[in-house]
Amino acid sequence: MTGGHQTHGAGSGALPLQTRALTREAGRARQLLAAGEWRPAAEDSQAAARVLARLTAPLPTRRAATTHTLATDRDRRLQRILRTTLHHLDAGAVSPPAAALLAAVARAFLPWHTTPNPPPAAAAPRYGTPLGTADGPAVPPTEAGEALLPDLIALFAVLASASPPGSVPLTPPVEPWQVRYAGRFRRYGRPAFGVWTAETIGCPACGGKDGPWTVTCDWRLISLGCPCGAVTHEHGLVFSEVWLLLPDL
């Protein structure tokens, strides 16, 4: 994570880790926190503390652990990091710099979206490279994912404790970004446990669904620009439903 914009864990049958955004946002967060230019609000610190708890979670102690159960436990820990990060990213309660950092963490841990426990419904979100190739099933690069933990633990520990009670929050500005995306966006709902719904987003003016969309985001609001000229932010998409489909920015 400290070695620049790169991809980790690419190997035979392994899904690579996309760490370009994580390298950038983690470095920026460290600088802002160290300089006192970011004093997180309570919502930021609370989200960081919950992600930190997942980052530092020990593997379960088993009397008769096998190679399979150990591998499953290792991947389950990384999957819980991803799901907790997505929960706080999409809740919309954190500040823009915290949202940018959470999104970057989610991007890096995306290979664990369905591993070891896929969402239990056909309509559940699908992001990143599909599992299964001509050479056999793809597997997440578990060692590469675990190698990110020490730096992330140190960063999120600072973020969780950077604003003692009584301090006045200070939120630095975040540069908005814009990118074009040719493809469809889907909004997901979960009305009950194990039940998912999905709706493809269309342009409110012409009904187009395939773009290419001009996506603009300031980590508070996402706007979608259609080739017909219409721009909308009333699409209902959460950050992950856009961010995780885009190139590693």
Side-chain angles (χ1 to χ4, degrees), residues 66-109:
T66 65
T67 301
H68 175 73
T69 58
L70 178 59
T72 299
D73 288 341
R74 293 170 68 195
D75 284 327
R76 185 173 288 121
R77 175 170 61 182
L78 299 179
Q79 186 176 61
R80 286 171 176 167
I81 292 170
L82 170 64
R83 291 184 177 176
T84 300
T85 302
L86 289 178
H87 170 78
H88 290 288
L89 170 66
D90 289 341
V94 299
S95 67
L101 177 60
L102 291 174
V105 173
R107 171 64 61 77
F109 286 96

Side-chain angles (χ1 to χ4, degrees), residues 177-187 199-218 220-246:
W177 51 264
Q178 187 175 89
V179 67
R180 285 173 67 82
Y181 174 73
R184 294 189 169 198
F185 291 114
R186 287 167 70 82
R187 179 173 62 234
E199 177 185 0
T200 301
I201 300 302
C203 172
C206 71
K209 297 181 178 180
D210 296 315
W213 302 98
T214 299
V215 183
T216 305
C217 177
D218 62 1
R220 289 194 185 278
L221 187 69
I222 296 172
S223 296
L224 300 180
C226 179
C228 77
V231 177
T232 179
H233 59 266
E234 297 180 355
H235 42 68
L237 293 166
V238 294
F239 284 126
S240 67
E241 289 166 341
V242 175
W243 173 256
L244 295 181
L245 293 177
L246 299 179

Side-chain angles (χ1 to χ4, degrees), residues 157-184:
V158 173
L159 186 57
S161 61
S163 295
S167 63
V168 178
L170 177 62
T171 302
V174 174
E175 290 293 327
W177 51 264
Q178 187 175 89
V179 67
R180 285 173 67 82
Y181 174 73
R184 294 189 169 198

